[in-house]
Amino acid sequence: MIIYLDGNYVQESEAKVSVFDHGLLYGDGVFEGIRLYDGNIFKCKEHIDRLYCSAKMLMLEIPNTKEEIEEIIVNTCRKNNLTSGYIRLVVTRGKGDLGIDPRKCKKATVFCIAATINLYPEEMYEKGMPIITASQRRNKATIVDPQVKSLNYLNNVFAKIEAIHANVPEALMLTHDGIAAECTGDNIFIVKDNIIYTPPVYLGILDGITRNTVIDFAKELGYEIYEKEFTQFNIYNADECFLTGTAAEVIPVCSLDRRIIADGKCGPITKSLLNKFKEYVKVDGTKI
Ligand SMILES: Cc1ncc(COP(=O)(O)O)c(CNc2cccc(C(=O)O)c2)c1O
């Protein structure tokens, strides 16, 4: 596998970062996860924009223009002869000393991985995914804002460990006030009486690119959709529930905390949004 690392394309075995890199030592960095569909880097510009927004919060200067980053992504895919898969783009604070002071890191580390992706089983898109509510609450916006796609994913990892212990693929995290926020790697939507709801970003969630794409699709399909707070009660009693994310795409949820949602199958609105999403992913993006 060919990796882009700090201006060079190197073999995976040569792709090494310093043990003094603050991305490793302190999680001081940002990243993006991007999908490649049949030669189309889906929403590439939107992912790059979000990377820069995340970096701005960290006051982390990315040593490339957005255009250069796009070229790096394209070239990394080409050099790996990849037409479909998953791209991981990472920018860390860079090599420093053992102190936390970001000023000691003179230049950010930038690397890009283009690889195949492990997907959820196809049957899960029909039968739905069982999830649980994690005891781990989502970070408040005042405590490492979840809008920053940072290398600080322990909040998500703790919730993922709870999902593993419960033998389910995903876990929902609530806000400190007990309002539904998002899952460890996906945004959440519910449908009730043909109206779609999804938590507002200000609650403290990642401003998901798939989320925003699906919101646009819902409007185009003529559905009523609101960014509105809801609780576990609303999810348990929803007509449909689904998750959105780069890896998950649009995936139905069949149960939360062992409460079967409606008939426990993929609902018609979820299905229509998934079908539209599948058509669209090869269209909108950057062609390699
Ligand atoms: C906390 C969180 N919330 C929502 C999403 C969905 O956002 P996008 O629609 O922009 O992807 C994410 C992103 N989640 C994500 C991204 C890439 C890979 C994987 C994986 O599970 O391997 C997960 C995420 O990490």
Side-chain angles (χ1 to χ4, degrees), residues 50 86 149 153 156 182 184-187 206 208-210 245-247:
R50 188 170 67 184
Y86 177 71
K149 199 167 174 64
Y153 258 55
N156 313 55
E182 60 181 339
T184 68
D186 327 275
N187 295 106
L206 184 71
I209 288 168
T210 314
T246 293

Side-chain angles (χ1 to χ4, degrees), residues 4 9 48 52 62-75:
Y4 171 85
Y9 293 92
I48 293 171
Y52 276 74
I62 297 176
N64 301 89
T65 64
K66 290 186 177 182
E67 292 71 26
E68 288 169 345
I69 291 288
E70 188 173 31
E71 192 180 336
I72 288 166
I73 297 171
V74 169
N75 286 335

Side-chain angles (χ1 to χ4, degrees), residues 55-225:
K56 188 169 215 175
M57 181 88 175
L58 276 69
M59 293 190 77
L60 170 54
E61 187 179 341
I62 297 176
N64 301 89
T65 64
K66 290 186 177 182
E67 292 71 26
E68 288 169 345
I69 291 288
E70 188 173 31
E71 192 180 336
I72 288 166
I73 297 171
V74 169
N75 286 335
T76 307
C77 293
R78 285 178 179 158
K79 289 180 182 294
N80 287 286
N81 300 312
L82 200 69
T83 54
S84 291
Y86 177 71
I87 299 147
R88 180 56 62 93
L89 181 63
V90 180
V91 182
T92 81
R93 186 75 65 180
K95 183 180 175 183
D97 64 16
L98 290 178
I100 203 167
D101 188 340
R103 293 171 300 181
K104 298 293 180 64
C105 306
K106 297 309 176 194
K107 189 172 185 294
T109 298
V110 181
F111 62 85
C112 183
I113 301 166
T116 53
I117 181 170
N118 297 322
L119 298 171
Y120 288 119
E122 192 53 37
E123 66 173 15
M124 211 173 270
Y125 289 84
E126 282 303 318
K127 293 182 177 173
M129 176 193 287
I131 67 173
I132 56 145
T133 303
S135 64
Q136 175 77 191
R137 297 299 171 99
R138 192 70 173 110
N139 283 348
K140 284 187 173 184
T142 52
I143 304 169
V144 187
D145 192 333
Q147 288 190 76
V148 179
K149 199 167 174 64
S150 82
L151 297 177
N152 280 245
Y153 258 55
L154 271 185
N155 181 208
N156 313 55
V157 170
F158 290 157
K160 188 73 172 184
I161 290 170
E162 291 187 60
I164 291 164
H165 290 167
N167 197 26
V168 295
E170 250 300 12
L172 169 67
M173 289 185 276
L174 307 178
T175 67
H176 286 255
D177 296 325
I179 306 293
E182 60 181 339
C183 292
T184 68
D186 327 275
N187 295 106
I188 188 166
F189 290 70
I190 60 171
V191 179
K192 186 70 174 177
D193 301 331
N194 291 315
I195 301 173
I196 307 170
Y197 302 94
T198 195
V201 173
Y202 66 73
L203 267 188
I205 62 173
L206 184 71
D207 191 8
I209 288 168
T210 314
R211 169 189 182 274
N212 296 336
T213 302
V214 165
I215 288 172
D216 291 344
F217 286 171
K219 291 173 181 171
E220 286 169 26
L221 291 170
Y223 295 122
E224 266 190 272
I225 182 162

